[in-house]
Amino acid sequence: MASMAFSLEAAKEGLDKDGFFDLEDSTTGDDVWEMERRRFPYVSEYGLDFCRKRVLDDMRCRVILDARLHYEIKEGYVIKFEFATDDIIENWPKMMVPALLEQKVASMQSNGIRLNYEVALEAPNT
């Protein structure tokens, strides 16, 4: 397996073009750009798959640091997920999930991680 040498030029280009550079996984930027192109549809099949891949299944994201106090966003957006204990999260508003996505959201939970959601009631047919 050939190793890829670090390229300062590639890192600078990534920072200039994308606003970040990930040495371990160059597909991260592609996934974020695709989410942006789709207008951040978190409560959709695609959005939930993104959340599973880029947060729940990515061990790098499981290290919890609160960086909100360490930088300022001058342009763009932040994709953030918040982790908390049950006593803190019990008063937070729940993410409303359509019934057709209930099974997918439930499958994203584990012994250590639960999602704060509620199944949205379908409007009755009139």
Side-chain angles (χ1 to χ4, degrees):
M1 181 171 165
S3 84
M4 290 185 57
F6 172 75
S7 164
L8 183 58
E9 192 57 40
K12 285 181 179 178
E13 184 179 315
L15 287 170
D16 288 342
K17 178 180 172 249
D18 302 325
F20 60 89
F21 184 75
D22 186 340
L23 288 172
E24 295 180 30
D25 185 356
S26 63
T27 65
T28 300
D30 295 336
D31 288 350
V32 171
W33 281 118
E34 183 60 20
M35 275 295 282
E36 179 183 33
R37 188 187 73 73
R38 292 175 181 235
R39 300 169 109 30
F40 303 101
Y42 292 106
V43 184
S44 70
E45 188 91 17
Y46 183 86
L48 292 171
D49 286 340
F50 172 88
C51 294
R52 179 189 299 261
K53 177 182 178 185
R54 288 294 169 202
V55 178
L56 300 176
D57 292 345
D58 189 335
M59 294 312 291
R60 296 172 300 161
C61 293
R62 302 289 283 276
V63 176
I64 302 169
L65 300 174
D66 189 347
R68 291 175 291 178
L69 303 176
H70 301 287
Y71 64 89
E72 177 182 351
I73 298 171
K74 296 192 182 250
E75 183 179 331
Y77 50 84
V78 113
I79 298 174
K80 72 175 187 158
F81 294 84
E82 297 188 37
F83 296 87
T85 56
D86 288 339
D87 59 317
I88 293 173
I89 206 169
E90 69 186 12
N91 294 315
W92 289 1
K94 295 186 181 313
M95 176 177 67
M96 299 305 289
V97 175
L100 69 124
L101 295 175
E102 179 180 15
Q103 196 168 14
K104 181 177 255 324
V105 173
S107 76
M108 294 170 70
Q109 300 189 99
S110 67
N111 289 337
I113 295 180
R114 292 185 304 118
L115 278 65
N116 188 28
Y117 74 98
E118 185 174 315
V119 177
L121 297 175
E122 304 288 331
N125 292 335
T126 55

